[in-house]
Amino acid sequence: MLIFLFFAYDYMYYKDDYLTAAHYLEQATAFPQSPSYLPQLVARLYVNADSPEVAVAFLQEMIKATEKQALKNRLTERLHQVIHRTNMKRLQQGLDAFYFKLSAKVWRLFPLPRYAKAWKKSIVII
């Protein structure tokens, strides 16, 4: 188990490769003496590597496989956080795309700089 943890640490901190680090930590969770926080860390690494779908699938499998109710509750809470964060990211991307398309149309309507400055100040991004 320790070799997987060392590999994950190396990929996470020195190579900034969160996907590979998550893969090694996922292998480490298969051992019975692995720490209880390890599945949550694996999910976080998958999310940081822009693979939230893998994190959701991993957490769902860990919830099914675990026997301890306290760990199940923590994993369920983390699953909801991952889904929530993924939805918020998609909404932000859609909002950015909307403002980009809207700004192109507004620039054609009001080509004068004073209108453009006033319009840019009125946009509030959540």
Side-chain angles (χ1 to χ4, degrees):
M1 179 182 88
L2 282 177
I3 192 74
F4 292 122
L5 294 175
F6 288 134
F7 281 153
Y9 179 82
D10 184 48
Y11 276 97
M12 187 170 30
Y13 287 108
Y14 295 116
K15 298 181 181 180
D16 288 331
D17 186 0
Y18 296 122
L19 191 60
T20 307
H23 175 70
Y24 282 120
L25 285 179
E26 186 175 350
Q27 291 176 358
T29 59
F31 291 95
Q33 67 269 24
S34 67
S36 61
Y37 63 84
L38 211 52
Q40 294 173 343
L41 179 60
V42 171
R44 181 178 300 258
L45 287 175
Y46 276 130
V47 170
N48 287 347
D50 289 332
S51 300
E53 301 83 19
V54 179
V56 167
F58 173 74
L59 285 171
Q60 287 173 341
E61 287 300 316
M62 288 301 294
I63 290 169
K64 288 179 190 174
T66 189
E67 299 286 328
K68 300 176 183 175
Q69 189 60 35
L71 182 59
K72 260 187 190 181
N73 292 342
R74 287 193 313 221
L75 291 175
T76 304
E77 181 180 335
R78 183 68 187 142
L79 175 65
H80 292 296
Q81 289 174 355
V82 167
I83 292 171
H84 214 55
R85 186 173 295 171
T86 304
N87 290 341
M88 292 300 291
K89 187 174 181 180
R90 286 185 185 151
L91 283 172
Q92 185 63 45
Q93 289 171 346
L95 189 62
D96 291 343
F98 172 75
Y99 280 131
F100 181 75
K101 286 182 180 181
L102 183 65
S103 67
K105 291 178 182 177
V106 169
W107 291 127
R108 279 185 255 139
L109 288 176
F110 304 109
L112 299 176
R114 64 180 176 173
Y115 292 118
K117 287 180 185 174
W119 182 77
K120 273 187 172 179
K121 289 180 183 176
S122 68
I123 294 178
V124 177
I125 297 178
I126 301 170

